[in-house]
Amino acid sequence: MKGLMEPIKTLVSFKKGVVYPDGVNERKLNEMRGMYVDDFTFETLLSQDNPLIYEVKEINIPQEKGHIIYSTTTIYPGKVGKEYFMTKGHFHLREDTAEIYFCLEGEGYLLMQTKEGRASAIHMKPGVLGYIPPYWGHRTMNTGDREFVFLALFPGDAGHNYEIVEKHGFSKIMVEENGKPVLKDNPKYTL
Ligand code: S6P
Ligand code: ZN
């Protein structure tokens, strides 16, 4: 670590996440091309509108070993076809780093998978903490009808690898069937 950092305080609203973020990283529908199963519905939706799918409210913490980076993610309610609005998903560049997600508001799933395609999902609602062990890629989806908000904490030197997800996708998808979220095999998944 380089030098001594001064302690900081962060206000976090349960409903809205970080109150005074240093930065907000927005992902709209057009940045999610190829991520959903139903490409036709995706393009139809996009030709009408480009909604905000999720936003990450960040605090500036050095991206270095020894630090803990934290942020809140808000995923808006909605679906592309039957598939719920979700994050892009990633592995950590340093694969031996873990992460904690703590749900503050709304409802959703934390979907994890190994590079071999083994999947595991945790149902998230306020008060649920999901532990993402080292080596598991992670993606979240909003299965409720209002904003799904969670706090994420991860090692400063974890880094992000989106390429694996862009290339192979996740082995499972979360779709609505008879008004309920159901985890299914992703027909687009390639190992
Ligand atoms: C970072 C952590 C989260 C996500 C955020 C958005 O390690 O897992 O802050 O970055 O939920 O997801 P994604 O996949 O677009 O980075
Ligand atoms: Zn992560």
Side-chain angles (χ1 to χ4, degrees):
M1 257 190 287
K2 300 167 201 146
L4 187 67
M5 179 182 161
E6 293 303 313
I8 56 172
K9 176 173 97 175
T10 302
L11 282 179
V12 180
S13 147
F14 286 89
K15 282 195 185 310
K16 299 281 174 196
V18 171
V19 178
Y20 302 113
D22 293 319
V24 181
N25 194 358
E26 293 188 339
R27 265 209 217 271
K28 293 189 171 182
L29 187 66
N30 67 335
E31 294 164 278
M32 296 291 284
R33 183 169 271 116
M35 297 287 138
Y36 293 95
V37 167
D38 188 346
D39 288 314
F40 179 78
T41 304
F42 177 91
E43 295 302 336
T44 308
L45 273 178
L46 195 56
S47 67
Q48 297 158 356
D49 192 13
N50 188 21
L52 180 61
I53 308 293
Y54 63 99
E55 61 195 354
V56 184
K57 293 177 180 164
E58 299 168 333
I59 297 296
N60 285 339
I61 302 284
Q63 294 177 24
E64 295 167 12
K65 185 170 164 36
H67 282 284
I68 297 172
I69 299 179
Y70 56 93
S71 59
T72 55
T73 299
T74 301
I75 310 179
Y76 290 90
K79 290 194 292 287
V80 174
K82 290 178 165 187
E83 211 177 341
Y84 296 98
F85 278 6
M86 62 187 182
T87 60
K88 196 164 189 182
H90 60 269
F91 286 76
H92 288 165
L93 272 178
R94 259 204 55 197
E95 296 177 358
D96 61 351
T97 53
E99 180 155 359
I100 285 169
Y101 280 2
F102 184 66
C103 182
L104 305 174
E105 169 77 5
E107 194 181 338
Y109 278 82
L110 162 57
L111 175 64
M112 292 162 277
Q113 89 171 37
T114 65
K115 280 192 174 158
E116 294 72 39
R118 193 152 65 82
S120 182
I122 293 176
H123 185 200
M124 302 291 285
K125 47 189 183 175
V128 175
L129 184 152
Y131 182 65
I132 305 162
Y135 304 105
W136 289 80
H138 36 287
R139 162 181 280 173
T140 41
M141 42 281 287
N142 184 346
T143 54
D145 51 14
R146 60 204 162 97
E147 293 163 19
F148 169 41
V149 186
F150 62 89
L151 173 72
L153 306 105
F154 54 99
D157 58 341
H160 294 89
N161 179 349
Y162 293 98
E163 277 174 33
I164 301 173
V165 174
E166 283 164 356
K167 203 166 163 200
H168 303 283
F170 271 72
S171 62
K172 301 281 180 188
I173 51 169
M174 190 65 78
V175 295
E176 187 184 71
E177 276 189 6
N178 304 316
K180 287 198 177 129
V182 182
L183 198 61
K184 297 210 137 182
D185 287 339
N186 181 0
K188 272 183 160 181
Y189 179 64
T190 55
L191 199 58

